[in-house]
Each structure stands twice: as C-alpha cells, then as structure tokens.
Amino acid sequence: MSIDKAMAILRKYPLCDHCLGRLFARLGFGLSNYERGRAIKDYLLMRIHERIINEGLSDELLNDLKALAISGHEPSISLLKSMGMDVSPVPCYVCGNAIFNRLDEWANKIINAMASLRAEFRTFKLGTRVPSDVLRKELEITTEFGITSAESIKRELNRELGKRVSSTLGIPFSREEPDIEVVLDVSTGAVTIQIMPLYILTRYRRERRLTGKVKWPIDDVLKIYDARGAILHSGGGEASDVRVLGNGRPMVIQVIEPGKRPLINELNQPLRDDSYGIALNVLSYVRASTVRKVKAESRNYVITYRVLAVTGGQVTDEALRSLHEYFRNRQVVQRLRVRGRVKKRVSIVYELDGKIISNGLVEFLIRCQGNLNIRGFVHGYFGDVEPSIAGVLAVEVRPVEVDILNISD
Ligand SMILES: [Zn+2]
C-alpha cells in the first residue's frame, strides 16, 4: 500500500501535514491535503502505538514515533511526553512551514491588487511563482519514493488561493482564456496582473474602391474598449482598390489590454461607421486560437471574383466558351519571387465565365481557391502564372476592376 511509503518518507524527511498529504493527493475524496496528511500521521501513530502495546517498545518503534513528532504531529509529541521524552518539531523539509500559514495574507494581497485594477474583468486565472529549491525538494521525494499520487505544490497553492479570492470577490476562477492572469511570487509576495486580450471575430466589407492606405476603425475600437492597442488579423487580403462585397472577409480584431469588456452586441452599431470605407460586421468573441485558424484557412477559401478586363485583341464568344471549358477545376501554378528565390504556389480555379461587355472589354466571373493571385491569373504576368486567361486566349488581358463577390470559408 502506498501509504506505507509515508512512514519511510517521514523517517528521512520531516514533512508538514500539507506537504505529506500532497504526496497522496489522489487518495481519499473531499479531503484537503492538510487533512489527508494529518490523517496519515494519525493512522501511523495508531499502528505504532498498537505494536508498542503488543510487542513492547523497540528502537524501531521509538524512532518512528520520534520521526512523527519531529514532523510536527502533536499526538505523537504528547505520547512521547507521557513516556518522559521531549521532542520538538523541525521545519518542514519542503516548505519550511513558511508557505501554507500565509495563504490568507497572500489571498488578501491578491484581492486588493485585483480590486484596485483599472480594468473590467469577469474571470481570472491565478498562478504562483514558487522558489526553485522548494520544487526541487518536492521532486526529489516523489522520485526517490516512486510516488505517483502526488499533486504539485504550485497546484495546491493556486487552488487554495484561487478558492479564497473567488469566494471573496464572487467571480469564477477560469483555467482557460481568463480576462486577467494574476501571479503571486511566493518568495517576494509580489502580485502581478496581466490583462488578457480580447478577440473579436468580424467580417469586413469594402464597398468602395479606395486609393492609398485603408483606414481601419482602430481608434473606435480603442475608445470602445479603453484599450492600449489593437491588432487586425485578416484571413488573407486584397489590394485597397478591390471591393469586398457579399458576406465579406473574415478578420479577427485582437484588443490589447482592454479596460472595458462590453457585450458583443454593443459593438455592432459603433463599428459599422461608414466613414472608413470599411464596414465591419461583428460576429462574436472568440478564442486566441481563432487567429491562427483564420489565417491558416484563408488559402482554402473559395472566392468568387468579378473582374473587368481590357483585351488587347479580338475575343469571341466562342473563345470565352472554350475558356469556360478549359478552366473547370484546373490547377494554376504561380511562381513567386521571395527574397531572390522562386517559390511555386498551386491554386485551383473551380469555374470561370466570361462575357463580352463591349469591344475590348470583358467581364469575368471566377470562382477559385483563396490563395490565387487574381490579377496575375487574368494577366499571366509574362508566364509567371500558368495557365492564365491571357495565355489561353492568346491576347493581352489587363484587369481594370476587381471585386470580391463572395468568400466561402
Ligand atoms: Zn510543508
């Protein structure tokens, strides 16, 4: 039985009730480590006492009794005293009895720091920085005695402090994606609080062709959130003179150090300000991992483009019909020059339709993979995009207007 190891451990290392109980944290239900450690010591004492009654006092039993007393077990100290022996406890080998008696003091410190924080929060996560020699000693014992039922001291501290803070402030403790992260440094007692970012999933539409730099409603975001900064993470992108119509392009707005955390439906109106030339449709708050997901998935979006193009030579309806046949689920290879190296990127054009608007002006509807360079695909870029519309039609084709009509993600 693994509790038998408890006596062997105490013979070598004096441990307080917390630190002994923590080694057997997986045993017993509804017990705190303190109660568990105390119960193990009580049980060990009763076993020793029974043997003393039955077998008489031996050196082995006396030494075990002394080991219990040295670890601070009061009933063992009393029993020894009744036998005429005075044994004083020594500080716990792991925590030095300098950690668990300060839980209330530290919890109050954390509560005060949180209460004076000038930022809204609904959930928090609590962590501790524990001196490395404490962690080393704890590991030393579990390794030496092959203990598999132990809980780490950090976990016990986080839980015990979290419980106190949570019940005083009436806010839940959250392991994942909390509003703030509080860290207590056990050796200095210092409390640091990090305000965690918010992530808003949106889709943006650009209804007008813009020239130059696009102005995003960052200032509005900063004002609404009373935030230090904001980062836009868009799933792919396009030139500013490309209109983004239909359902718009997915984008996650990361709000840095928000002082306020409004409900998502409070954002829709302020962020739909038309003066930016960008309309944001606010969808929901999301996890941090959505940023990576939105970026990674953008290459596999299915995008429908409308491209108005000027042709350098005669294009017939028949040529457009055969172009339609040719670009049906067709792979297109784009050669990209990145820092002197040539990289190849493969995209798929799913469907393409062309319509003659007037002599020398053709409108194309192109449904393709999100990573296709649309202008390059129309123009051919002198062989860098292969096959291309210009290449297959064997005339010069120059895109003049590009619109995104829909993005399926
Ligand atoms: Zn201890």
Side-chain angles (χ1 to χ4, degrees), residues 29 50 60 73 76 141 202 206 208 236 247 317 328 361:
F29 192 77
E50 187 177 37
E60 181 209 340
H73 189 231
S76 301
I141 295 174
T202 68
R206 187 187 297 124
R208 282 173 279 152
N247 56 353
D317 283 332
R328 193 181 279 275
L361 199 61

Side-chain angles (χ1 to χ4, degrees), residues 138-193:
E138 182 177 65
L139 185 65
E140 188 183 313
I141 295 174
T142 51
T143 311
E144 182 177 343
F145 292 90
I147 305 280
T148 54
S149 54
E151 179 188 45
S152 75
I153 189 165
K154 273 173 88 102
R155 213 177 125 150
E156 179 173 18
L157 281 173
N158 296 349
R159 190 185 54 243
E160 289 301 319
L161 290 168
K163 255 190 330 212
R164 285 165 169 81
V165 174
S166 180
S167 70
T168 305
L169 293 179
I171 54 168
F173 185 82
S174 151
R175 242 176 264 290
E176 281 174 54
E177 314 253 331
D179 291 348
I180 57 169
E181 281 191 19
V182 185
V183 175
L184 169 89
D185 189 322
V186 164
S187 35
T188 61
V191 176
T192 50
I193 300 181

Side-chain angles (χ1 to χ4, degrees), residues 15-16 18-19 92 94-97 100:
L15 296 181
C16 72
H18 279 282
C19 292
C92 171
V94 171
C95 73
N97 297 50
F100 293 99

Side-chain angles (χ1 to χ4, degrees), residues 211-399:
T211 46
K213 219 169 170 298
V214 181
K215 194 167 176 292
W216 296 86
I218 298 269
D219 291 345
D220 285 0
V221 170
L222 298 187
K223 210 185 303 162
I224 294 166
Y225 284 93
D226 188 15
R228 196 169 63 81
I231 303 170
L232 305 176
H233 304 279
S234 149
E238 62 290 305
S240 59
D241 63 347
V242 173
R243 291 193 299 174
V244 183
L245 308 171
N247 56 353
R249 189 184 282 279
M251 182 171 76
V252 176
I253 305 176
Q254 179 182 359
V255 185
I256 315 274
E257 285 189 21
K260 291 183 196 150
R261 290 175 184 263
L263 297 175
I264 199 76
N265 53 24
E266 293 172 40
L267 301 177
N268 252 318
Q269 225 30 54
L271 288 186
R272 267 202 195 141
D273 187 342
D274 211 31
S275 64
Y276 291 100
I278 286 278
L280 279 175
N281 187 14
V282 178
L283 301 173
S284 58
Y285 285 122
V286 288
R287 288 167 172 268
S289 57
T290 308
V291 170
R292 212 178 46 234
K293 215 172 125 223
V294 160
K295 282 176 175 282
E297 285 174 1
S298 66
R299 62 188 298 273
N300 293 321
Y301 290 166
V302 178
I303 302 185
T304 307
Y305 287 99
R306 173 190 159 271
V307 179
L308 196 62
V310 174
T311 58
Q314 185 70 25
V315 175
T316 62
D317 283 332
E318 206 197 328
L320 291 176
R321 267 196 299 279
S322 57
L323 193 71
H324 170 80
E325 288 307 317
Y326 184 80
F327 282 109
R328 193 181 279 275
N329 298 323
R330 171 84 53 182
Q331 271 196 359
V332 173
V333 178
Q334 306 160 79
R335 279 194 297 177
L336 312 161
R337 289 182 176 78
V338 186
R339 274 174 254 116
R341 287 232 196 114
V342 175
K343 273 176 61 181
K344 278 189 181 173
R345 186 162 75 191
V346 177
S347 310
I348 298 171
V349 171
Y350 300 106
E351 207 179 357
L352 183 158
D353 275 302
K355 191 170 82 181
I356 296 167
I357 301 292
S358 65
N359 195 19
L361 199 61
V362 182
E363 184 189 71
F364 295 103
L365 285 180
I366 303 158
R367 205 157 61 81
C368 62
Q369 204 179 332
N371 64 351
L372 181 72
N373 174 344
I374 194 70
R375 281 196 163 92
F377 170 62
V378 173
H379 184 276
Y381 283 174
F382 313 102
D384 275 358
V385 185
E386 187 58 43
S388 68
I389 291 181
V392 174
L393 290 176
V395 292
E396 192 199 330
V397 185
R398 195 162 46 81

Side-chain angles (χ1 to χ4, degrees), residues 86-142:
D86 255 327
V87 174
S88 326
V90 300
C92 171
Y93 175 72
V94 171
C95 73
N97 297 50
I99 289 181
F100 293 99
N101 51 358
R102 299 185 67 186
L103 287 179
D104 288 333
E105 173 201 336
W106 285 333
N108 283 332
K109 214 167 165 190
I110 292 168
I111 289 162
N112 288 337
M114 284 167 73
S116 57
L117 188 68
R118 285 184 50 199
E120 278 178 21
F121 56 90
R122 296 190 191 90
T123 56
F124 73 103
K125 181 179 170 179
L126 201 151
T128 38
R129 209 163 289 133
V130 176
S132 58
D133 67 313
V134 172
L135 300 175
R136 181 182 51 75
K137 287 172 174 175
E138 182 177 65
L139 185 65
E140 188 183 313
I141 295 174
T142 51

